[in-house]
């Protein structure tokens, strides 16, 4: 058992020259004569694919992803997709031409041409020895992008990047030292699943910052007073409602529908603009009920069927008779934020585990404060705690805080973890 979480890497699948047509969300490269055809569906309602671009001078078999910041490239690619389920970058090259979403990247007159050898991609952002790019267009001269320190924030949003000196807003550097004048207001992943089960870096996110006395959402400056700016409701990739000294503003954005109030009977909880509903019954006669007194902005899914609102856990489960049931667990610590499978309050621990059908919560008494550690056993004043996906274990110890994990291997080479409990 390990308690360290690794960020999921984007895996590009093998695509032979005769790929199947792309889904409504994306485009595929398909050149039966060896050339490159960039095709896709014009909208969700169409069943007929259309050719967007055809490059007779680019052989499909020679295309591969452009180099990323580490200098690595993928040998094959599956398809370019642009949706909330698969936000991979779209820079591809045959080592002669650079393409972004099926268009050749050609710099304006009187500017240096694209330098394929030094080009590096970072999601929608790109850079070579002479130029900076964003969404397939040259945005500025490269006067010193520090690739070693260039970074996004906690999720995936390249509209506002920083390196050791610069803030880059949609590929435009804001001046030396600007990276140090940024205040991160918030970030929300497009992934609406629980925060304990999602891989944030694989999914795009919304980002709000304050810079130069302005508020920016995904690189777009809002007409808001920065000093009095407050978030009222924020639905990722959909809607931002904010308040400042001039009043309340409803700002729709992104591609997800903002005002949908129809409950989703496929999931236990539906979080919409004005309320949170839980599914009382399923099937064709699905019934839902609004959770009273719950502000949707502060209702946070932990898994698909467990959520936290202030000092309460909401657990949607099945009863002994297979009926939908909602348990509400009051935490013993008002400001306790549940952010791991095992969390500790003042005198109780809360363990989220995999039950027979859904995730469940085990509440147990602790001996004093339960200390949660990232890569070592958790402990209180008497016990050491370890857990697997469906079981919590504890062991009495004379020195709980000194217990630690030791990596060993068993006979067949499978890695195991042994608990070492030696008092100094």
């Amino acid at each position: 058992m390990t308690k360290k979480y690794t960020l999921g890497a984007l895996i590009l699948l093998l695509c032979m020259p005769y790929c199947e047509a792309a889904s409504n969300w994306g485009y595929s490269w398909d050149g039966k004569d060896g050339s490159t055809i960039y095709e896709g569906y014009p909208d969700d309602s169409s069943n007929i694919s259309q050719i967007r671009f055809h490059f007779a001078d680019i052989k499909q078999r020679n295309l591969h992803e452009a180099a990323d910041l580490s200098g690595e490239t993928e040998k094959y690619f599956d398809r370019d997709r642009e949706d909330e389920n698969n936000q991979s970058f779209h820079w591809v090259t045959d080592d002669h031409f650079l393409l972004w979403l099926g268009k050749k990247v050609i710099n304006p007159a009187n500017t240096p041409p694209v330098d394929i050898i030094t080009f590096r991609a970072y999601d929608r952002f790109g850079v070579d020895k002479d130029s900076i790019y964003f969404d397939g267009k040259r945005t500025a001269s490269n006067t010193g992008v520090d690739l070693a320190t260039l970074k996004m924030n906690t999720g995936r949003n390249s509209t506002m990047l920083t390196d050791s000196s610069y803030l880059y807003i949609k590929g435009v550097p804001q001046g030396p030292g600007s990276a140090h004048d940024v205040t991160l207001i918030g970030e929300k992943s497009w992934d609406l699943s629980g925060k304990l089960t999602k891989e944030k870096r694989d999914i795009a996110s919304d980002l709000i910052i304050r810079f130069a006395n302005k508020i920016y959402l995904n690189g777009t400056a809002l007409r808001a007073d920065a000093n009095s700016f407050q978030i009222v409701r924020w639905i990722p990739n959909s809607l931002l409602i904010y308040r400042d000294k001039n009043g309340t503003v409803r700002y729709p954005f992104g591609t997800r529908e903002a005002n949908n109030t129809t409950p989703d009977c496929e999931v236990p909880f539906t979080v919409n603009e004005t309320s949170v509903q839980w599914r009382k019954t399923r099937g064709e006669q699905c019934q839902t009920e609004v959770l009273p007194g719950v502000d949707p902005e502060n209702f946070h899914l932990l898994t698909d069927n467990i959520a936290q609102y202030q000092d309460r856990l909401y657990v949607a489960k099945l009863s002994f008779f297979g009926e939908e049931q909602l348990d509400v667990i009051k935490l013993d610590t008002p400001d306790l934020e549940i952010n791991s499978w095992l969390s500790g309050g003042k005198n109780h621990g809360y363990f989220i585990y995999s039950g027979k059908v859904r995730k469940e919560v085990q509440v147990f008494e602790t001996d004093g404060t339960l200390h949660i550690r990232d890569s070592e056993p958790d402990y209180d004043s008497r016990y050491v705690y370890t857990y697997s996906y469906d079981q919590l274990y504890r062991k009495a110890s004379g020195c709980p805080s000194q217990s630690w994990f030791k990596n060993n291997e068993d006979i067949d080479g499978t890695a195991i973890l042994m608990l070492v409990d030696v008092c100094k």
Side-chain angles (χ1 to χ4, degrees), residues 172-415:
V172 179
Q174 302 302 303
S178 55
H180 309 294
D181 296 325
V182 177
T183 300
L184 175 63
I185 294 178
E187 184 163 16
K188 283 196 175 184
S189 172
W190 290 7
D191 186 354
L192 297 181
S193 64
K195 68 178 181 179
L196 296 185
T197 58
K198 65 188 178 184
E199 296 288 355
K200 296 178 68 175
R201 190 162 294 278
D202 283 348
I203 305 296
S205 60
D206 291 337
L207 182 65
I208 299 179
I209 68 167
R210 176 175 177 169
F211 172 72
N213 213 32
K214 291 183 179 180
I215 303 296
Y216 291 86
L217 167 63
N218 298 338
T220 299
L222 303 178
R223 294 181 178 178
D225 176 70
N227 293 325
S228 57
F229 176 82
Q230 291 181 314
I231 296 172
V232 177
R233 182 76 178 98
W234 181 4
I235 305 176
N237 191 29
S238 176
L239 174 69
L240 176 67
I241 301 176
Y242 64 89
R243 181 187 301 116
D244 65 9
K245 67 179 183 180
N246 299 311
T248 300
V249 177
R250 192 174 187 273
Y251 182 77
F253 69 99
T255 60
R256 188 175 292 154
E257 188 176 356
N259 57 356
N260 182 25
T261 59
T262 303
D264 183 355
C265 284
E266 298 299 319
V267 294
F269 297 107
T270 300
V271 183
N272 54 43
E273 181 179 341
T274 59
S275 65
V276 179
Q277 297 161 294
W278 79 279
R279 181 184 60 197
K280 294 182 64 176
T281 62
R282 61 172 66 200
E284 294 183 0
Q285 304 300 320
C286 168
Q287 294 180 341
T288 62
E289 183 177 276
V290 173
L291 298 180
V294 173
D295 176 9
E297 182 61 28
N298 296 306
F299 186 85
H300 305 293
L301 287 171
L302 304 177
T303 70
D304 63 338
N305 69 302
I306 301 175
Q308 179 177 9
Y309 179 70
Q310 297 177 347
D311 62 346
R312 285 165 281 170
L313 292 181
Y314 289 83
V315 184
K317 57 190 297 186
L318 292 179
S319 70
F320 179 80
F321 300 100
E323 300 168 336
E324 297 290 333
Q325 175 180 317
L326 182 66
D327 289 351
V328 181
I329 300 172
K330 187 174 178 62
L331 304 176
D332 69 2
T333 307
D335 57 352
L336 175 62
E337 180 181 354
I338 304 296
N339 52 22
S340 64
W341 299 108
L342 179 61
S343 300
K346 292 180 179 179
N347 299 294
H348 291 85
Y350 305 92
F351 175 51
I352 298 175
Y353 65 97
S354 296
K356 293 182 178 180
V357 180
R358 302 178 187 168
K359 294 287 192 298
E360 299 191 30
V361 179
Q362 177 181 346
V363 182
F364 59 95
E365 291 187 2
T366 59
D367 198 302
T369 302
L370 178 60
H371 301 274
I372 306 297
R373 298 188 289 185
D374 288 337
S375 56
E376 300 297 345
D378 305 318
Y379 67 95
D380 59 23
S381 60
R382 182 179 179 187
Y383 296 101
V384 176
Y385 297 84
T386 60
Y387 59 86
S388 63
Y389 67 96
D390 62 351
Q391 182 65 54
L392 177 68
Y393 305 91
R394 73 179 183 183
K395 177 184 176 182
S397 171
C399 48
S401 64
Q402 298 178 29
S403 297
W404 50 284
F405 287 125
K406 180 180 180 181
N407 287 313
N408 275 343
E409 290 187 357
D410 61 12
I411 297 176
D412 65 2
T414 303

Side-chain angles (χ1 to χ4, degrees), residues 57-114:
D57 53 347
I58 299 178
K59 300 301 181 184
Q60 191 271 343
R61 63 178 178 271
N62 295 330
L63 282 172
H64 57 83
E65 279 197 328
D68 62 16
L69 289 186
S70 68
E72 298 178 353
T73 65
E74 293 291 338
K75 199 169 185 179
Y76 304 97
F77 64 93
D78 178 21
R79 59 184 61 169
D80 270 339
R81 296 181 62 183
E82 189 180 34
D83 72 278
E84 59 196 67
N85 296 318
N86 187 352
Q87 285 284 325
S88 59
F89 67 62
H90 304 270
W91 306 96
V92 294
T93 181
D94 65 348
D95 297 323
H96 298 286
F97 296 101
L98 180 67
L99 304 181
W100 166 265
L101 284 177
K103 297 180 181 180
K104 286 184 179 179
V105 180
I106 300 175
N107 290 346
N110 301 318
T111 63
V114 178

Side-chain angles (χ1 to χ4, degrees), residues 18 116 135 147 163 177 393 418:
Y18 308 118
I116 301 294
D135 280 357
L147 297 181
D163 61 16
Y393 305 91
M418 292 187 63

